[in-house]
Amino acid sequence: MCLHHFTIHPQIEHLFVYSGSMRTSGDLTTISDLLRDLCVDDLSGRDAFEAMQLMLIVRNLTDHHAARLAGLLDRHGVAKSQGRSTRELLIVMGFAPSVAQRLLRIAGSLAAALPTLDAHAADGAIPAEHVDAIARGVSHIAGRTAEPIDDALRLNHVTDLLGQFFSGATPADIDKRARTLGNQLADDTNGLPAAEDRTLNELAHHIDDDGRLHLEADLDVEVGEKLCAALEALGKPRPEPDGRTDLRTTARRHADALDTLLDIAARIDTAGAMSAPKTQVLLTVPADTPDQSSLEFMGSITDATLRRLSCDSSITTMIVDGERVPLDIGREQRLFPAHLRRALHVRDQGCIKCGAPATRAHAHHIIHWADGGETSLDNGCLLCPACHADVHHNGWDVIIGADHHPWLIPPVTVDPQRRPLPAHNRRTLNLDNLPAAA
């Protein structure tokens, strides 16, 4: 590395000159000794600033090579000989769990699939946190299309996210940009965004030695938005008895809100379960770019998810101009009122696809409300959340047959002839003439 344009402490210059010729693990020992013996106390303010810039490069290079070494350990199966995973081995060696995981993610994504990003990382130009964010972002975008993306499109995405970094973006900013690009790709290719794929949802919990329950969740945008909205609504600050402002932290208020949610769920009856949702969900729609609609808490969503949410969630739609000034606020006329939900309950008796209890089902508009479909018995049916997602994302269609009952039309991947299937509660009937349903 050339340092002739810096007035720099000789020890630091020696370090960089030596690192350029490093070839063996013994050289790493020499470099670590140089760093250990480095003294910067006598540097001027300018030299200290320039030295810090160089130290950032050293750190970036160290993390880059650490990721490569983590990949090498994994390929050689070093951890397996000790009965551990490579991540566990790195943690035992002294890496923080999040750092160990990041090194392995970087090792698995760079050299083969993202050579441009790998080259920048090898120059020490990008911190590991940003390298990881870009690699995860590209993977996130690719996962939002039904078909594999080609090298040219992948390079465009890498270039876009690298441009975000060189413009000063944080890893969180890069993640948001990747989500936006992924949503656009999903809309263009009829793909399903990872953020909206409920088959990836997980909720894990364990009880620690103190008897406390720890939760860890990985949720799609719809479930996540419902949870965030409910916690905000039920966890609002309240004054103390003596008039002081709420002394609880945000985390404590949200924990109390979860307790309230569980109490409500325990007390709810069948009639209450069929009423319209009480949690408000705010959807912001830019007037000039409606494909960039976003939820208040979970961010950008695709048009397909917007249509699904419009069936049965209590959504307030806010249309805004380029300066995010509200232009119009929609009314909740799309929701099925209680008497229609009861009628759907009597007719369908549960999810028409899987038979899940009616109390856990959504009221689905067969012709989307956004497309002019009315809120009526002949334009509705009951679908559980998972089957609701199938209808909106995975090619299943619903029609009302001549018998005034809903029928399902499977995608060609399930039935190439797409023959109609009766609702779950009517599949024990005589089905000699299925085409008559249409």
Side-chain angles (χ1 to χ4, degrees):
M1 180 180 299
C2 180
L3 301 176
H4 64 271
H5 58 290
F6 285 117
T7 302
I8 195 72
H9 194 286
Q11 290 175 297
I12 297 177
E13 183 174 6
H14 184 200
L15 167 67
F16 275 84
V17 171
Y18 189 87
S19 65
S21 61
M22 185 185 71
R23 291 293 182 271
T24 69
S25 59
D27 293 331
L28 284 175
T29 301
T30 304
I31 289 178
S32 64
D33 289 341
L34 285 171
L35 284 171
R36 191 176 292 110
D37 296 337
L38 184 64
C39 179
V40 297
D41 294 338
D42 59 344
L43 293 180
S44 67
R46 175 181 173 80
D47 286 348
F49 177 79
E50 293 175 345
M52 180 61 81
Q53 289 180 310
L54 293 174
M55 281 297 146
L56 177 59
I57 298 175
V58 171
R59 177 184 184 271
N60 295 348
L61 289 170
T62 299
D63 285 343
H64 173 70
H65 289 297
R68 287 186 173 277
L69 289 170
L72 194 61
L73 288 171
D74 197 50
R75 289 193 298 275
H76 286 317
V78 175
K80 290 182 180 179
S81 64
Q82 302 179 25
R84 295 189 173 103
S85 67
T86 304
R87 178 178 179 272
E88 291 170 336
L89 176 62
L90 294 174
I91 293 172
V92 171
M93 293 175 69
F95 289 96
S98 60
V99 175
Q101 191 65 44
R102 182 169 66 236
L103 292 176
L104 289 171
R105 281 198 304 266
I106 294 174
S109 62
L110 282 188
L114 305 173
T116 302
L117 179 59
D118 186 50
H120 282 288
D123 284 340
I126 308 179
E129 294 83 358
H130 289 81
V131 173
D132 185 41
I134 294 172
R136 285 187 291 107
V138 172
S139 177
H140 182 74
I141 296 169
R144 293 193 169 202
T145 176
E147 300 294 333
I149 63 175
D150 57 31
D151 291 340
L153 184 56
R154 183 181 295 105
L155 178 60
N156 287 341
H157 294 152
V158 172
T159 302
D160 186 298
L161 298 182
L162 278 171
Q164 297 292 312
F165 164 72
F166 288 116
S167 298
T170 66
D173 294 331
I174 292 171
D175 179 67
K176 291 178 182 178
R177 175 61 179 170
R179 288 188 62 188
T180 298
L181 292 174
N183 276 338
Q184 292 172 355
L185 183 63
D187 276 334
D188 292 341
T189 61
N190 295 319
L192 176 61
E196 298 171 20
D197 186 354
R198 70 169 48 244
T199 64
L200 301 178
N201 286 2
E202 293 182 344
L203 177 61
H205 64 275
H206 71 274
I207 300 175
D208 66 16
D209 294 338
D210 293 328
R212 297 186 61 83
L213 182 69
H214 290 256
L215 300 175
E216 183 176 350
D218 181 3
L219 306 172
D220 66 275
V221 292
E222 180 185 353
V223 179
E225 183 71 16
K226 290 178 181 178
L227 179 60
C228 289
L231 294 181
E232 285 296 314
L234 297 173
K236 292 180 179 178
R238 49 172 169 69
E240 296 294 320
D242 60 2
R244 290 180 298 168
T245 57
D246 199 330
L247 300 178
R248 297 174 299 169
T249 64
T250 301
R252 168 64 190 279
R253 287 191 286 105
H254 285 174
D256 290 346
L258 178 60
D259 184 25
T260 303
L261 277 175
L262 296 175
D263 284 343
I264 293 173
R267 292 194 302 265
I268 200 166
D269 58 20
T270 302
M274 292 192 295
S275 64
K278 300 299 189 296
T279 300
Q280 291 291 329
V281 173
L282 177 62
L283 174 65
T284 302
V285 183
D288 297 331
T289 54
D291 59 332
Q292 296 183 18
S293 300
S294 62
L295 295 167
E296 181 180 9
F297 298 105
M298 300 300 291
S300 176
I301 62 170
T302 59
D303 182 65
T305 290
L306 166 61
R307 291 170 181 268
R308 176 161 53 86
L309 293 177
S310 297
C311 286
D312 203 40
S313 293
S314 180
I315 296 179
T316 297
T317 303
M318 183 175 294
I319 302 174
V320 297
D321 62 17
E323 300 300 324
R324 299 190 68 80
V325 176
L327 300 177
D328 180 41
I329 296 181
R331 300 180 182 273
E332 296 178 359
Q333 298 172 342
R334 64 176 66 88
L335 300 178
F336 281 82
H339 72 281
L340 279 181
R341 287 185 63 89
R342 292 190 182 97
L344 290 173
H345 190 168
V346 171
R347 187 196 67 190
D348 298 345
Q349 299 178 20
C351 174
I352 65 168
K353 185 169 179 285
C354 74
T359 53
R360 300 210 314 261
H362 294 169
H364 166 71
H365 287 82
I366 295 173
I367 299 176
H368 297 309
W369 187 88
D371 293 337
E374 61 182 2
T375 302
S376 66
L377 183 62
D378 285 337
N379 192 45
C381 67
L382 294 181
L383 290 167
C384 73
C387 295
H388 202 171
D390 278 342
V391 169
H392 280 273
H393 290 303
N394 297 330
W396 288 82
D397 290 323
V398 180
I399 61 171
I400 294 294
D403 57 357
H404 298 288
H405 282 269
W407 290 69
L408 288 151
I409 300 179
V412 293
T413 54
V414 175
D415 180 5
Q417 299 182 32
R418 304 203 72 193
R419 289 169 292 192
L421 297 171
H424 185 275
N425 66 315
R426 292 170 58 78
R427 289 177 197 165
T428 58
L429 302 179
N430 189 330
L431 304 177
D432 293 335
N433 189 17
L434 289 179

mmCIF file of all heavy atoms in Angstrom, residues 35-69:
data_model
loop_
_atom_site.group_PDB
_atom_site.id
_atom_site.type_symbol
_atom_site.label_atom_id
_atom_site.label_comp_id
_atom_site.label_asym_id
_atom_site.label_seq_id
_atom_site.Cartn_x
_atom_site.Cartn_y
_atom_site.Cartn_z
ATOM 1 N N LEU A 35 1.396 -4.144 15.746
ATOM 2 C CA LEU A 35 0.226 -3.447 16.278
ATOM 3 C C LEU A 35 0.288 -3.349 17.800
ATOM 4 O O LEU A 35 -0.073 -2.324 18.388
ATOM 5 C CB LEU A 35 -1.054 -4.171 15.855
ATOM 6 C CG LEU A 35 -1.494 -3.978 14.402
ATOM 7 C CD1 LEU A 35 -2.645 -4.919 14.072
ATOM 8 C CD2 LEU A 35 -1.911 -2.529 14.160
ATOM 9 N N ARG A 36 0.748 -4.406 18.430
ATOM 10 C CA ARG A 36 0.828 -4.417 19.887
ATOM 11 C C ARG A 36 1.823 -3.370 20.392
ATOM 12 O O ARG A 36 1.614 -2.739 21.427
ATOM 13 C CB ARG A 36 1.217 -5.813 20.368
ATOM 14 C CG ARG A 36 1.070 -6.016 21.875
ATOM 15 C CD ARG A 36 1.390 -7.443 22.262
ATOM 16 N NE ARG A 36 0.391 -8.377 21.745
ATOM 17 C CZ ARG A 36 0.611 -9.261 20.778
ATOM 18 N NH1 ARG A 36 1.818 -9.333 20.210
ATOM 19 N NH2 ARG A 36 -0.337 -10.085 20.376
ATOM 20 N N ASP A 37 2.895 -3.162 19.649
ATOM 21 C CA ASP A 37 3.933 -2.223 20.061
ATOM 22 C C ASP A 37 3.689 -0.806 19.540
ATOM 23 O O ASP A 37 4.464 0.108 19.837
ATOM 24 C CB ASP A 37 5.307 -2.698 19.556
ATOM 25 C CG ASP A 37 5.726 -4.018 20.188
ATOM 26 O OD1 ASP A 37 5.209 -4.321 21.281
ATOM 27 O OD2 ASP A 37 6.536 -4.737 19.570
ATOM 28 N N LEU A 38 2.617 -0.630 18.762
ATOM 29 C CA LEU A 38 2.365 0.672 18.156
ATOM 30 C C LEU A 38 2.059 1.714 19.222
ATOM 31 O O LEU A 38 1.256 1.490 20.128
ATOM 32 C CB LEU A 38 1.189 0.552 17.180
ATOM 33 C CG LEU A 38 0.831 1.795 16.372
ATOM 34 C CD1 LEU A 38 1.973 2.170 15.435
ATOM 35 C CD2 LEU A 38 -0.444 1.554 15.579
ATOM 36 N N CYS A 39 2.683 2.881 19.121
ATOM 37 C CA CYS A 39 2.421 3.994 20.035
ATOM 38 C C CYS A 39 1.952 5.191 19.226
ATOM 39 O O CYS A 39 2.643 5.639 18.302
ATOM 40 C CB CYS A 39 3.691 4.343 20.815
ATOM 41 S SG CYS A 39 3.460 5.734 21.958
ATOM 42 N N VAL A 40 0.775 5.701 19.543
ATOM 43 C CA VAL A 40 0.210 6.820 18.773
ATOM 44 C C VAL A 40 0.031 8.068 19.637
ATOM 45 O O VAL A 40 -0.533 9.058 19.166
ATOM 46 C CB VAL A 40 -1.155 6.414 18.172
ATOM 47 C CG1 VAL A 40 -0.987 5.268 17.186
ATOM 48 C CG2 VAL A 40 -2.148 6.033 19.261
ATOM 49 N N ASP A 41 0.491 8.025 20.869
ATOM 50 C CA ASP A 41 0.237 9.137 21.777
ATOM 51 C C ASP A 41 0.884 10.440 21.323
ATOM 52 O O ASP A 41 0.413 11.529 21.672
ATOM 53 C CB ASP A 41 0.736 8.790 23.190
ATOM 54 C CG ASP A 41 -0.052 7.646 23.802
ATOM 55 O OD1 ASP A 41 -1.194 7.422 23.344
ATOM 56 O OD2 ASP A 41 0.461 6.978 24.718
ATOM 57 N N ASP A 42 1.977 10.357 20.544
ATOM 58 C CA ASP A 42 2.693 11.572 20.169
ATOM 59 C C ASP A 42 2.278 12.103 18.802
ATOM 60 O O ASP A 42 2.933 13.008 18.258
ATOM 61 C CB ASP A 42 4.208 11.307 20.187
ATOM 62 C CG ASP A 42 4.606 10.176 19.238
ATOM 63 O OD1 ASP A 42 3.698 9.421 18.823
ATOM 64 O OD2 ASP A 42 5.808 10.064 18.929
ATOM 65 N N LEU A 43 1.192 11.573 18.212
ATOM 66 C CA LEU A 43 0.739 12.063 16.912
ATOM 67 C C LEU A 43 0.017 13.388 17.051
ATOM 68 O O LEU A 43 -0.672 13.648 18.046
ATOM 69 C CB LEU A 43 -0.203 11.044 16.256
ATOM 70 C CG LEU A 43 0.394 9.700 15.832
ATOM 71 C CD1 LEU A 43 -0.688 8.834 15.202
ATOM 72 C CD2 LEU A 43 1.544 9.902 14.855
ATOM 73 N N SER A 44 0.156 14.232 16.028
ATOM 74 C CA SER A 44 -0.616 15.475 15.976
ATOM 75 C C SER A 44 -2.064 15.142 15.641
ATOM 76 O O SER A 44 -2.391 14.008 15.267
ATOM 77 C CB SER A 44 -0.041 16.401 14.915
ATOM 78 O OG SER A 44 -0.229 15.843 13.615
ATOM 79 N N GLY A 45 -2.939 16.144 15.730
ATOM 80 C CA GLY A 45 -4.349 15.908 15.414
ATOM 81 C C GLY A 45 -4.543 15.456 13.985
ATOM 82 O O GLY A 45 -5.313 14.528 13.708
ATOM 83 N N ARG A 46 -3.838 16.082 13.034
ATOM 84 C CA ARG A 46 -3.949 15.705 11.629
ATOM 85 C C ARG A 46 -3.439 14.286 11.413
ATOM 86 O O ARG A 46 -4.076 13.471 10.738
ATOM 87 C CB ARG A 46 -3.171 16.691 10.747
ATOM 88 C CG ARG A 46 -3.126 16.297 9.279
ATOM 89 C CD ARG A 46 -2.317 17.295 8.445
ATOM 90 N NE ARG A 46 -2.140 16.819 7.099
ATOM 91 C CZ ARG A 46 -3.042 16.902 6.127
ATOM 92 N NH1 ARG A 46 -4.223 17.450 6.396
ATOM 93 N NH2 ARG A 46 -2.794 16.463 4.912
ATOM 94 N N ASP A 47 -2.261 13.991 12.002
ATOM 95 C CA ASP A 47 -1.710 12.646 11.842
ATOM 96 C C ASP A 47 -2.607 11.589 12.490
ATOM 97 O O ASP A 47 -2.738 10.469 11.985
ATOM 98 C CB ASP A 47 -0.302 12.584 12.451
ATOM 99 C CG ASP A 47 0.728 13.292 11.582
ATOM 100 O OD1 ASP A 47 0.391 13.608 10.423
ATOM 101 O OD2 ASP A 47 1.852 13.536 12.062
ATOM 102 N N ALA A 48 -3.220 11.958 13.624
ATOM 103 C CA ALA A 48 -4.127 11.014 14.285
ATOM 104 C C ALA A 48 -5.337 10.713 13.394
ATOM 105 O O ALA A 48 -5.801 9.560 13.306
ATOM 106 C CB ALA A 48 -4.584 11.572 15.631
ATOM 107 N N PHE A 49 -5.835 11.747 12.712
ATOM 108 C CA PHE A 49 -6.973 11.553 11.809
ATOM 109 C C PHE A 49 -6.585 10.645 10.650
ATOM 110 O O PHE A 49 -7.325 9.713 10.297
ATOM 111 C CB PHE A 49 -7.461 12.908 11.288
ATOM 112 C CG PHE A 49 -8.591 12.807 10.302
ATOM 113 C CD1 PHE A 49 -9.888 12.603 10.741
ATOM 114 C CD2 PHE A 49 -8.348 12.909 8.934
ATOM 115 C CE1 PHE A 49 -10.942 12.504 9.825
ATOM 116 C CE2 PHE A 49 -9.387 12.800 8.016
ATOM 117 C CZ PHE A 49 -10.687 12.609 8.470
ATOM 118 N N GLU A 50 -5.425 10.911 10.041
ATOM 119 C CA GLU A 50 -4.975 10.100 8.920
ATOM 120 C C GLU A 50 -4.655 8.672 9.372
ATOM 121 O O GLU A 50 -4.921 7.699 8.649
ATOM 122 C CB GLU A 50 -3.757 10.750 8.273
ATOM 123 C CG GLU A 50 -4.103 12.081 7.594
ATOM 124 C CD GLU A 50 -2.876 12.801 7.057
ATOM 125 O OE1 GLU A 50 -1.747 12.416 7.448
ATOM 126 O OE2 GLU A 50 -3.038 13.739 6.262
ATOM 127 N N ALA A 51 -4.100 8.542 10.585
ATOM 128 C CA ALA A 51 -3.817 7.204 11.114
ATOM 129 C C ALA A 51 -5.110 6.434 11.343
ATOM 130 O O ALA A 51 -5.181 5.221 11.100
ATOM 131 C CB ALA A 51 -3.014 7.314 12.405
ATOM 132 N N MET A 52 -6.148 7.129 11.804
ATOM 133 C CA MET A 52 -7.436 6.467 12.008
ATOM 134 C C MET A 52 -8.017 5.977 10.693
ATOM 135 O O MET A 52 -8.615 4.890 10.620
ATOM 136 C CB MET A 52 -8.413 7.422 12.700
ATOM 137 C CG MET A 52 -9.778 6.808 12.962
ATOM 138 S SD MET A 52 -9.704 5.355 14.058
ATOM 139 C CE MET A 52 -9.602 6.184 15.637
ATOM 140 N N GLN A 53 -7.836 6.770 9.612
ATOM 141 C CA GLN A 53 -8.301 6.316 8.299
ATOM 142 C C GLN A 53 -7.603 5.023 7.884
ATOM 143 O O GLN A 53 -8.224 4.098 7.359
ATOM 144 C CB GLN A 53 -8.042 7.407 7.251
ATOM 145 C CG GLN A 53 -8.940 8.636 7.397
ATOM 146 C CD GLN A 53 -8.645 9.675 6.340
ATOM 147 O OE1 GLN A 53 -7.487 10.059 6.131
ATOM 148 N NE2 GLN A 53 -9.679 10.127 5.657
ATOM 149 N N LEU A 54 -6.303 4.957 8.159
ATOM 150 C CA LEU A 54 -5.553 3.758 7.820
ATOM 151 C C LEU A 54 -5.949 2.588 8.716
ATOM 152 O O LEU A 54 -5.988 1.432 8.266
ATOM 153 C CB LEU A 54 -4.048 4.037 7.928
ATOM 154 C CG LEU A 54 -3.494 5.024 6.891
ATOM 155 C CD1 LEU A 54 -2.035 5.335 7.185
ATOM 156 C CD2 LEU A 54 -3.631 4.461 5.494
ATOM 157 N N MET A 55 -6.223 2.886 9.979
ATOM 158 C CA MET A 55 -6.649 1.814 10.874
ATOM 159 C C MET A 55 -7.990 1.224 10.428
ATOM 160 O O MET A 55 -8.249 0.034 10.616
ATOM 161 C CB MET A 55 -6.767 2.335 12.311
ATOM 162 C CG MET A 55 -5.438 2.443 13.027
ATOM 163 S SD MET A 55 -4.663 0.820 13.193
ATOM 164 C CE MET A 55 -2.942 1.264 13.037
ATOM 165 N N LEU A 56 -8.844 2.067 9.847
ATOM 166 C CA LEU A 56 -10.111 1.556 9.315
ATOM 167 C C LEU A 56 -9.837 0.569 8.188
ATOM 168 O O LEU A 56 -10.486 -0.481 8.097
ATOM 169 C CB LEU A 56 -10.976 2.714 8.812
ATOM 170 C CG LEU A 56 -12.313 2.312 8.162
ATOM 171 C CD1 LEU A 56 -13.179 1.534 9.138
ATOM 172 C CD2 LEU A 56 -13.045 3.536 7.635
ATOM 173 N N ILE A 57 -8.861 0.899 7.342
ATOM 174 C CA ILE A 57 -8.504 -0.028 6.272
ATOM 175 C C ILE A 57 -7.950 -1.323 6.857
ATOM 176 O O ILE A 57 -8.279 -2.428 6.398
ATOM 177 C CB ILE A 57 -7.482 0.620 5.319
ATOM 178 C CG1 ILE A 57 -8.091 1.854 4.644
ATOM 179 C CG2 ILE A 57 -7.010 -0.379 4.267
ATOM 180 C CD1 ILE A 57 -7.119 2.628 3.785
ATOM 181 N N VAL A 58 -7.094 -1.199 7.877
ATOM 182 C CA VAL A 58 -6.563 -2.402 8.540
ATOM 183 C C VAL A 58 -7.710 -3.253 9.076
ATOM 184 O O VAL A 58 -7.726 -4.481 8.917
ATOM 185 C CB VAL A 58 -5.596 -2.004 9.679
ATOM 186 C CG1 VAL A 58 -5.223 -3.227 10.515
ATOM 187 C CG2 VAL A 58 -4.335 -1.371 9.115
ATOM 188 N N ARG A 59 -8.657 -2.610 9.738
ATOM 189 C CA ARG A 59 -9.805 -3.346 10.291
ATOM 190 C C ARG A 59 -10.592 -4.027 9.176
ATOM 191 O O ARG A 59 -10.974 -5.199 9.295
ATOM 192 C CB ARG A 59 -10.703 -2.393 11.058
ATOM 193 C CG ARG A 59 -11.963 -3.046 11.620
ATOM 194 C CD ARG A 59 -12.856 -2.006 12.282
ATOM 195 N NE ARG A 59 -14.017 -2.626 12.896
ATOM 196 C CZ ARG A 59 -15.177 -2.850 12.264
ATOM 197 N NH1 ARG A 59 -15.297 -2.515 10.988
ATOM 198 N NH2 ARG A 59 -16.189 -3.399 12.897
ATOM 199 N N ASN A 60 -10.853 -3.292 8.082
ATOM 200 C CA ASN A 60 -11.614 -3.876 6.973
ATOM 201 C C ASN A 60 -10.895 -5.087 6.391
ATOM 202 O O ASN A 60 -11.512 -6.118 6.094
ATOM 203 C CB ASN A 60 -11.843 -2.838 5.879
ATOM 204 C CG ASN A 60 -12.733 -1.689 6.340
ATOM 205 O OD1 ASN A 60 -13.359 -1.775 7.392
ATOM 206 N ND2 ASN A 60 -12.766 -0.620 5.569
ATOM 207 N N LEU A 61 -9.573 -4.944 6.213
ATOM 208 C CA LEU A 61 -8.794 -6.057 5.673
ATOM 209 C C LEU A 61 -8.764 -7.243 6.634
ATOM 210 O O LEU A 61 -8.844 -8.400 6.221
ATOM 211 C CB LEU A 61 -7.366 -5.588 5.364
ATOM 212 C CG LEU A 61 -7.210 -4.638 4.176
ATOM 213 C CD1 LEU A 61 -5.795 -4.061 4.137
ATOM 214 C CD2 LEU A 61 -7.540 -5.350 2.867
ATOM 215 N N THR A 62 -8.662 -6.934 7.916
ATOM 216 C CA THR A 62 -8.654 -8.007 8.920
ATOM 217 C C THR A 62 -9.962 -8.781 8.881
ATOM 218 O O THR A 62 -9.978 -10.017 8.879
ATOM 219 C CB THR A 62 -8.427 -7.422 10.324
ATOM 220 O OG1 THR A 62 -7.161 -6.752 10.359
ATOM 221 C CG2 THR A 62 -8.445 -8.506 11.380
ATOM 222 N N ASP A 63 -11.072 -8.057 8.829
ATOM 223 C CA ASP A 63 -12.369 -8.726 8.778
ATOM 224 C C ASP A 63 -12.527 -9.520 7.486
ATOM 225 O O ASP A 63 -13.116 -10.615 7.476
ATOM 226 C CB ASP A 63 -13.497 -7.701 8.902
ATOM 227 C CG ASP A 63 -13.668 -7.192 10.322
ATOM 228 O OD1 ASP A 63 -13.148 -7.845 11.245
ATOM 229 O OD2 ASP A 63 -14.324 -6.148 10.508
ATOM 230 N N HIS A 64 -12.021 -8.968 6.380
ATOM 231 C CA HIS A 64 -12.120 -9.678 5.100
ATOM 232 C C HIS A 64 -11.374 -11.015 5.166
ATOM 233 O O HIS A 64 -11.910 -12.064 4.765
ATOM 234 C CB HIS A 64 -11.546 -8.805 3.983
ATOM 235 C CG HIS A 64 -11.449 -9.500 2.667
ATOM 236 N ND1 HIS A 64 -12.560 -9.839 1.918
ATOM 237 C CD2 HIS A 64 -10.372 -9.952 1.964
ATOM 238 C CE1 HIS A 64 -12.178 -10.460 0.808
ATOM 239 N NE2 HIS A 64 -10.849 -10.538 0.812
ATOM 240 N N HIS A 65 -10.145 -10.978 5.673
ATOM 241 C CA HIS A 65 -9.373 -12.214 5.764
ATOM 242 C C HIS A 65 -9.952 -13.154 6.822
ATOM 243 O O HIS A 65 -9.880 -14.382 6.674
ATOM 244 C CB HIS A 65 -7.910 -11.899 6.061
ATOM 245 C CG HIS A 65 -7.187 -11.286 4.887
ATOM 246 N ND1 HIS A 65 -7.003 -11.958 3.705
ATOM 247 C CD2 HIS A 65 -6.625 -10.067 4.724
ATOM 248 C CE1 HIS A 65 -6.344 -11.183 2.858
ATOM 249 N NE2 HIS A 65 -6.105 -10.028 3.446
ATOM 250 N N ALA A 66 -10.540 -12.584 7.888
ATOM 251 C CA ALA A 66 -11.181 -13.434 8.898
ATOM 252 C C ALA A 66 -12.357 -14.193 8.289
ATOM 253 O O ALA A 66 -12.581 -15.374 8.602
ATOM 254 C CB ALA A 66 -11.642 -12.584 10.081
ATOM 255 N N ALA A 67 -13.108 -13.527 7.394
ATOM 256 C CA ALA A 67 -14.219 -14.202 6.723
ATOM 257 C C ALA A 67 -13.701 -15.328 5.832
ATOM 258 O O ALA A 67 -14.277 -16.427 5.780
ATOM 259 C CB ALA A 67 -15.028 -13.201 5.910
ATOM 260 N N ARG A 68 -12.613 -15.058 5.122
ATOM 261 C CA ARG A 68 -12.024 -16.103 4.277
ATOM 262 C C ARG A 68 -11.549 -17.296 5.126
ATOM 263 O O ARG A 68 -11.739 -18.456 4.756
ATOM 264 C CB ARG A 68 -10.863 -15.537 3.469
ATOM 265 C CG ARG A 68 -11.297 -14.619 2.324
ATOM 266 C CD ARG A 68 -10.096 -14.211 1.477
ATOM 267 N NE ARG A 68 -10.512 -13.482 0.299
ATOM 268 C CZ ARG A 68 -10.936 -14.031 -0.829
ATOM 269 N NH1 ARG A 68 -11.028 -15.353 -0.914
ATOM 270 N NH2 ARG A 68 -11.278 -13.294 -1.864
ATOM 271 N N LEU A 69 -10.921 -16.988 6.262
ATOM 272 C CA LEU A 69 -10.447 -18.061 7.140
ATOM 273 C C LEU A 69 -11.624 -18.846 7.727
ATOM 274 O O LEU A 69 -11.542 -20.064 7.894
ATOM 275 C CB LEU A 69 -9.583 -17.480 8.253
ATOM 276 C CG LEU A 69 -8.201 -16.958 7.829
ATOM 277 C CD1 LEU A 69 -7.544 -16.188 8.966
ATOM 278 C CD2 LEU A 69 -7.308 -18.123 7.391
#
